[in-house]
Amino acid sequence: MDTDVIVIGAGLAGLQCARRLQRSGCRVTVLEAEDRVGGRVRTDVIDGFRCDRGFQVLNPAYPAVRDWISVSALKLQKFGVGALVSTDEGASLVAHPLRHPRLAPATLGSRHVQASDVLALLRWMGPVLLRESRASRAADDRTLRTSLDAAGLTGPLRRDLLDTFLAGVLADSSGGKSANYARLLMRWFALGAPGLPEEGMQALPEQMSASLADPVRLGTPVRELEDTAGRVRATTDSGALHARLAVVAVGPQHAADLTDIPAPAAHGLTTWWFRASEPPGTGRFLMLDAARAGGGPAGPVWNTAAISEVAPSYAPAGEHLVQATTLLDQPDGRAEERVIRRDLERLYRTSTRDWELITHHVVPHALPAQPPPLGDRVGQRINDRTLMAGDHREHGSIQGALVSGDRAGQAAAGLLASGGIV
Ligand SMILES: Cc1cc2nc3c(=O)[nH]c(=O)nc-3n(C[C@H](O)[C@H](O)[C@H](O)COP(=O)(O)OP(=O)(O)OC[C@H]3O[C@@H](n4cnc5c(N)ncnc54)[C@H](O)[C@@H]3O)c2cc1C
């Protein structure tokens, strides 16, 4: 036998699974198709600009991040907790009043914040704010849209801010995802201040893989996985590897390549990265567009941020980096560069003629669709010698991927230790 467990995929789930197995005393080999670890958490460095493959943030309030990641080593550069809401009349700031007490009077006086909405938001969040486990009760779950309506959250806070913010976070503008999943994410946003690691989001999986005794085998896609003669065999272009167990952690779009599990539906987004000639002056806050009549974005850009104002390490000294995100479930989700520039000119009230496009990422399978009910601890084992891990087995987030990987690692180590697998 070459090893005890083969882990296929070095995204966050595969890496956490391998770390858990290693800690349990198992021999583990990780095979990764790409040339770097990280899966959906990757950073391209282009002319000194750090462009994550799809805008995303690390929330240090995720329990799995607190437990298993050295956040201090990542040197997080934090966003403001809140958002700039842009309308035809200008942009106004709505910030978490406890995190930004000096901004509280402006926030509470904002026309986007009405007392009835705040009460409805607290009603909607209530049980989950107090206790995280309340959100994992699948039986109570329904779609996000229905659940917000039922809570009476129907005013400007919802129309101008919450719907647009959550659509960007969930890569879904339909409101059809699990309300319990959205509540969990909102709980962690309320408790944490998300940020960007000094070296880019890629620093997170790099930190995880650095603690593996046997380095991840990069550029090694698994072509076939077979359960044969009392062992599992993973076939790669450079030969076959045999183990007592395999954990498939390949992401939702590849789940069906190696198993009988159908690929779960997913939602996508695009991120545009521009070098701006001047700092756009929005500070550390995400900007959301609420210029459409009735609320919501009037153009393709659902959120944008002056990344280098939040994270100076993302741009060379004296340079400025701006991200703009569109949603692929919108008709203009794949809008051309000139349309994105025009939208950014409207939002930032400045010409983008001197801005330079650095790159743009189209990520069709960014997040699993996650309709209600939110699955409660989906089993990790899919046949005698194969387990599965990934955000789609828990919920679409860094937290979900880490927890799923850890559970699969625990389950595999348990099977080996119990003698159930020889
Ligand atoms: C644009 C974007 C924005 C996001 N924003 C946030 C955010 O702000 N906050 C948050 O918490 N989460 C966010 N997420 C979600 C988060 O990044 C994912 O939930 C998480 O990274 C998923 O990890 P995973 O290990 O389950 O899957 P993946 O990252 O997809 O890893 C799967 C790995 O398997 C490899 N693989 C596939 N097939 C094979 C094969 N045959 N052989 C070997 N290797 C294979 C792949 O190359 C990949 O490395 C975002 C995701 C995206 C894409």
Side-chain angles (χ1 to χ4, degrees), residues 206-269:
E206 298 283 359
Q207 178 190 104
M208 296 173 72
S209 73
S211 62
L212 293 175
D214 192 359
V216 173
R217 298 191 193 176
L218 299 170
T220 310
V222 172
R223 305 293 181 195
E224 200 175 3
L225 186 65
E226 292 160 287
D227 191 345
T228 161
R231 58 194 182 159
V232 69
R233 179 170 63 207
T235 305
T236 72
D237 298 343
S238 51
L241 199 73
H242 299 94
R244 296 161 76 192
L245 286 174
V247 178
V248 177
V250 295
Q253 78 271 35
H254 295 296
D257 298 354
L258 299 174
T259 71
D260 294 332
I261 304 281
H267 290 140
L269 46 76

Side-chain angles (χ1 to χ4, degrees), residues 23-303:
R23 221 166 293 150
S24 306
C26 303
R27 290 178 306 149
V28 57
T29 301
V30 186
L31 306 176
E32 166 55 47
E34 297 287 329
D35 59 351
R36 304 267 310 260
V37 297
R40 276 169 275 165
V41 183
R42 291 280 303 262
T43 305
D44 294 332
V45 182
I46 303 170
D47 297 335
F49 291 93
R50 295 182 198 280
C51 304
D52 296 324
R53 289 202 187 166
F55 168 60
Q56 55 182 303
V57 295
L58 178 61
N59 190 341
Y62 284 149
V65 170
R66 281 202 313 259
D67 289 350
W68 302 323
I69 303 297
S70 169
V71 177
S72 59
L74 295 175
K75 300 195 175 88
L76 270 197
Q77 305 161 95
K78 294 189 176 172
F79 278 83
V81 184
L84 270 168
V85 182
S86 175
T87 64
D88 290 343
E89 290 151 41
S92 61
L93 192 56
V94 177
H96 191 310
L98 301 178
R99 293 304 178 76
H100 303 280
R102 275 191 299 173
L103 299 173
T107 295
L108 298 175
S110 159
R111 67 191 169 85
H112 306 294
V113 180
Q114 290 181 352
S116 55
D117 274 356
V118 174
L119 288 175
L121 179 61
L122 291 174
R123 212 164 31 239
W124 181 72
M125 287 285 297
V128 178
L129 258 185
L130 297 176
R131 207 150 41 96
E132 188 173 313
S133 57
R134 289 299 306 266
S136 53
R137 289 191 0 203
D140 292 347
D141 206 1
R142 44 181 148 175
T143 66
L144 174 60
R145 188 182 47 246
T146 319
S147 150
L148 290 172
D149 287 346
L153 186 40
T154 51
L157 187 64
R158 160 106 177 261
R159 287 196 313 271
D160 298 344
L161 197 147
L162 200 59
D163 277 349
T164 308
F165 174 72
L166 284 174
V169 168
L170 303 171
D172 171 34
S173 61
S174 74
K177 289 205 175 187
S178 150
N180 282 351
Y181 164 49
R183 274 197 194 92
L184 272 177
L185 294 179
M186 284 295 287
R187 171 189 158 88
W188 291 318
F189 276 116
L191 297 179
L196 297 170
E198 191 174 75
E199 302 285 322
M201 287 296 290
Q202 177 97 41
L204 169 62
E206 298 283 359
Q207 178 190 104
M208 296 173 72
S209 73
S211 62
L212 293 175
D214 192 359
V216 173
R217 298 191 193 176
L218 299 170
T220 310
V222 172
R223 305 293 181 195
E224 200 175 3
L225 186 65
E226 292 160 287
D227 191 345
T228 161
R231 58 194 182 159
V232 69
R233 179 170 63 207
T235 305
T236 72
D237 298 343
S238 51
L241 199 73
H242 299 94
R244 296 161 76 192
L245 286 174
V247 178
V248 177
V250 295
Q253 78 271 35
H254 295 296
D257 298 354
L258 299 174
T259 71
D260 294 332
I261 304 281
H267 290 140
L269 46 76
T270 78
T271 300
W272 295 77
W273 296 97
F274 289 95
R275 174 187 166 278
S277 43
E278 299 290 333
T282 47
R284 294 189 301 120
F285 288 89
L286 193 68
M287 182 155 34
L288 304 173
D289 186 15
R292 190 174 60 202
V301 174
W302 278 61
N303 66 58

Side-chain angles (χ1 to χ4, degrees), residues 386-403:
T386 310
L387 297 91
M388 183 169 263
D391 62 347
H392 56 108
R393 306 293 284 177
E394 180 70 19
H395 55 75
S397 70
I398 289 167
Q399 162 77 11
L402 291 173
V403 166

